[in-house]
Amino acid sequence: MVPTSPTAPVAAPTRPWRWFAVYVGGLLACVVPYVVGVLLPYYVNGLHRLPLAEVASGRHDPKLLWPSYTGCGGLVDLLGVLGLATAPMGLLAGVVVGALVPVRAVASARSRLRAAPAMVLATVAVAVACAAGLWWFLGETSTALVTWRMD
């Protein structure tokens, strides 16, 4: 009889890109309502050609401009209000999560992320894009757009 040795447990395949897809999907779910509900009407109505002070003054009422008189106006208005709340919070969460992932990958020798350095770089790139978006969101243009949209 041949002695048998215990077999080593088989490690489950790591899928680090799965959480990255959830990360990017969550960011898009936060930012797309802002893009559709605020930025799209801003550019379609030609308000980008006006000074920001005039846009924020309330002279151009969003309820009288596109898409309010179309069939999708209510949905776009709802997305705009939702986007005003979710976009900055999603961008801030994107920066925080994107900053923590490389720290975890460097600190943990058994990290799944060590197997995918390209994913760590992609996460850092998304985090930098979120930081740039958050910086823009706190600037003059976005402040004027929020004032215009909430009019």
Side-chain angles (χ1 to χ4, degrees):
M1 184 167 202
V2 177
T4 60
S5 63
T7 59
V10 177
T14 60
R15 296 186 179 119
W17 288 99
R18 179 181 291 174
W19 84 264
F20 181 76
V22 171
Y23 170 61
V24 172
L27 288 172
L28 288 175
C30 291
V31 174
V32 166
Y34 183 81
V35 170
V36 172
V38 178
L39 291 180
L40 183 65
Y42 174 71
Y43 283 105
V44 167
N45 290 312
L47 299 177
H48 61 284
R49 296 182 188 118
L50 302 175
L52 290 176
E54 185 176 341
V55 172
S57 70
R59 183 180 299 170
H60 305 281
D61 191 6
K63 292 180 270 322
L64 302 176
L65 301 172
W66 182 90
S68 294
Y69 54 83
T70 64
C72 65
L75 178 63
V76 173
D77 288 340
L78 180 64
L79 285 174
V81 172
L82 181 66
L84 291 175
T86 62
M89 300 311 288
L91 291 172
L92 181 61
V95 170
V96 170
V97 170
L100 292 178
V101 166
V103 171
R104 179 176 172 232
V106 169
S108 174
R110 295 178 185 230
S111 174
R112 292 180 183 178
L113 300 176
R114 223 174 241 281
M119 194 210 47
V120 174
L121 291 176
T123 304
V124 170
V126 171
V128 168
C130 287
L134 190 60
W135 178 74
W136 179 85
F137 200 89
L138 297 173
E140 292 178 26
T141 305
S142 183
T143 304
L145 289 178
V146 169
T147 305
W148 167 70
R149 191 71 202 145
M150 294 303 292
D151 184 22

